[in-house]
Amino acid sequence: MSVYIVPIKVAFIMFGVLGFLLVIPWLVYSYRKYGYFSLWASTVVYSFLFYMLSALFLVLLPLPSTRDTCAFQSPDTIYYSLKPFTFIRDIFKSGSIILSQPRSYIQIFNQSAFWQAAFNFLLLLPFGVYLRYFFQEKRYWKRALALGFALSLFFEVTQVTGIYGIYKCPYRLFDVDDLMLNSTGALFGFLVAPVILALFPSKEKLLAKGEKIQKSHLVSPLSQLLAVLIDYIFIKLTFTFTVGLLTSSGFAEMMFTTVGFVVLYFVFPLLWGGKTIGTNMMRFKLSNLEGDAHSWQAVLKRTVALYLPWLASMSFNLLTHIKLEMESHFYAIHVWVTVAIFSFVSIMWLTLSIHAIFVMLKKGKRTFYFDQVADIVPRKNEEAGT
């Protein structure tokens, strides 16, 4: 059983890493495609990612302990089986199953060849179900069969080449029966998928809901927060690949980020009709309560409201890196100031978190504090609502 559990555990770990790295790109794509954040669409994509990783690791793991796999194999080792339906012969070769005696058929479940064939059939069956969800129509069954065959061929080639030369000799067999069973499983999954997919919303329903939501000018709170986060990530990445390559100074990062706040959250909206990099990606802009262009004073208030929580957190981080001897006259002051700032920052982020939850529950009918203090209203771009 561990032969199957270990690959799934590895796939789960890799899924966690990839899922974290892809969450923001996926949220941006999902919002731009559907007009809102669909939990079901996210579940489909992330489960598909986990399934593909699991399938890959199930056929590759466990890996050999050394690259020199040839040393553990005889010179006449055969790395391929090109005779189709060999698995049927292997199932019946034990003699315990007699065709003229139906009562012996139960013995088929005791044959390792049967379970291996069943595993290969089931391996790509979920792949066929996903393809049916993506393609929708039954007439694409040939495409599903071809993609199932291509994926199976990829697995087999990866194995027979020792993961493309990483290992000197193959450590798994290239089997034509695996190609047949994998491809058939994918086709079967494609054909029976409607029975499973009937329990969940279709792509047409998701798109129809998106069209309805896009007619409203309200911007979802999650997309507003994501836009702010995208701008901040852009600032941090810019620092990492410029000044960050030359110094690791916390003060230099603080100064660079401060300039980044001014440029991204203040200058850009003034020069770009109320847009930042983040708001443009999320297809909305910043305007005043009447829907007209905002004033520079309003944008400045919004920038300061966004900057101050970050400044408080960054100041606390810099303060904790200051090392003083206990004999120093400033040691007690340093401790009390650190505790005071830590308490302030903790209360601040707790308050902001509660505020964010409250705004998100209102589903766009109330703005975040940084827009409210500046009398700024996020509005969808005209092209986004059509």
Side-chain angles (χ1 to χ4, degrees):
M1 196 66 180
S2 61
V3 175
Y4 302 106
I5 294 178
V6 171
I8 293 176
K9 286 183 177 179
V10 175
F12 185 79
I13 295 173
M14 292 296 298
F15 169 74
V17 175
L18 290 176
F20 177 78
L21 295 176
L22 296 175
V23 62
I24 292 180
W26 163 250
L27 288 176
V28 173
Y29 170 81
S30 178
Y31 183 82
R32 292 178 66 89
K33 180 177 178 62
Y34 299 108
Y36 68 105
F37 299 106
S38 170
L39 179 61
W40 167 241
S42 300
T43 301
V44 170
V45 170
Y46 272 81
S47 63
F48 180 69
L49 174 62
F50 177 70
Y51 160 71
M52 293 298 290
L53 288 172
S54 299
L56 177 63
F57 291 136
L58 280 168
V59 299
L60 294 184
L61 299 182
L63 297 174
S65 58
T66 177
R67 289 189 60 194
D68 189 13
T69 50
C70 301
F72 301 96
Q73 302 170 2
S74 60
D76 58 345
T77 300
I78 298 176
Y79 301 110
Y80 52 86
S81 174
L82 301 181
K83 292 182 179 180
F85 303 108
T86 302
F87 71 96
I88 297 178
R89 184 190 62 190
D90 293 339
I91 292 174
F92 287 94
K93 72 178 181 180
S94 65
S96 59
I97 304 173
I98 303 174
L99 293 178
S100 59
Q101 298 180 10
R103 297 176 63 179
S104 67
Y105 293 172
I106 193 66
Q107 297 298 322
I108 194 173
F109 297 108
N110 296 325
Q111 306 298 316
S112 60
F114 167 79
W115 289 112
Q116 183 176 352
F119 166 77
N120 281 305
F121 177 80
L122 295 174
L123 180 64
L124 295 192
L125 190 148
F127 183 65
V129 176
Y130 281 108
L131 290 179
R132 185 59 177 269
Y133 176 80
F134 296 138
F135 293 152
Q136 294 294 305
E137 298 183 22
K138 184 180 179 180
R139 61 190 178 94
Y140 291 116
W141 68 269
K142 293 181 180 179
R143 187 178 300 180
L145 179 62
L147 289 173
F149 178 82
L151 181 58
S152 178
L153 183 62
F154 167 74
F155 288 157
E156 295 298 315
V157 171
T158 302
Q159 292 178 139
V160 80
T161 58
I163 312 184
Y164 306 101
I166 294 179
Y167 297 97
K168 293 183 179 181
C169 289
Y171 62 96
R172 295 284 177 88
L173 179 71
F174 181 100
D175 195 341
V176 68
D177 282 345
D178 292 351
L179 288 172
M180 295 168 51
L181 290 167
N182 291 162
S183 305
T184 305
L187 177 60
F188 183 77
F190 185 85
L191 296 177
V192 302
V195 178
I196 303 172
L197 297 178
L199 303 173
F200 306 100
S202 64
K203 287 180 63 177
E204 286 81 2
K205 290 183 178 180
L206 295 180
L207 292 173
K209 182 178 178 181
E211 292 178 358
K212 182 178 179 180
I213 292 177
Q214 287 176 12
K215 293 179 180 179
S216 170
H217 289 289
L218 293 177
V219 180
S220 70
L222 188 56
S223 63
Q224 296 177 45
L225 288 180
L226 189 57
V228 173
L229 181 59
I230 290 172
D231 290 330
Y232 180 71
I233 290 175
F234 182 83
I235 295 172
K236 302 304 288 185
L237 289 177
T238 304
F239 171 80
T240 301
F241 293 104
T242 54
V243 179
L245 296 175
L246 304 176
T247 178
S248 58
S249 169
F251 181 76
E253 181 178 1
M254 185 175 181
M255 291 297 98
F256 185 95
T257 306
T258 299
V259 174
F261 266 83
V262 174
V263 173
L264 264 293
Y265 296 111
F266 179 68
V267 177
F268 268 41
L270 294 178
L271 300 181
W272 200 4
K275 297 180 183 179
T276 67
I277 294 176
T279 63
N280 187 59
M281 292 183 66
M282 303 312 297
R283 293 180 174 176
F284 72 89
K285 61 182 179 180
L286 307 174
S287 62
N288 60 21
L289 298 177
E290 289 73 30
D292 301 323
H294 44 65
S295 64
W296 68 267
Q297 293 94 333
V299 182
L300 181 60
K301 290 180 181 179
R302 183 178 188 271
T303 304
V304 172
L306 286 169
Y307 177 72
L308 288 180
W310 174 86
L311 179 62
S313 301
M314 192 66 178
S315 299
F316 172 74
N317 290 334
L318 291 176
L319 193 62
T320 56
H321 284 81
I322 298 176
K323 304 299 181 182
L324 294 177
E325 298 293 336
M326 294 187 65
E327 294 76 13
S328 173
H329 296 293
F330 299 99
Y331 182 80
I333 298 176
H334 177 262
V335 171
W336 283 109
V337 171
T338 302
V339 171
I341 295 180
F342 172 76
S343 300
F344 172 77
V345 170
S346 300
I347 295 173
M348 177 192 69
W349 282 113
L350 177 61
T351 304
L352 291 178
S353 298
I354 295 174
H355 166 72
I357 293 173
F358 181 76
V359 173
M360 294 181 72
L361 291 176
K362 288 295 184 178
K363 298 181 179 180
K365 296 179 181 179
R366 177 167 179 168
T367 56
F368 287 102
Y369 79 95
F370 45 81
D371 287 330
Q372 186 174 4
V373 73
D375 291 330
I376 286 180
V377 177
R379 294 183 184 276
K380 290 183 179 179
N381 298 336
E382 294 182 0
E383 62 272 16
T386 58

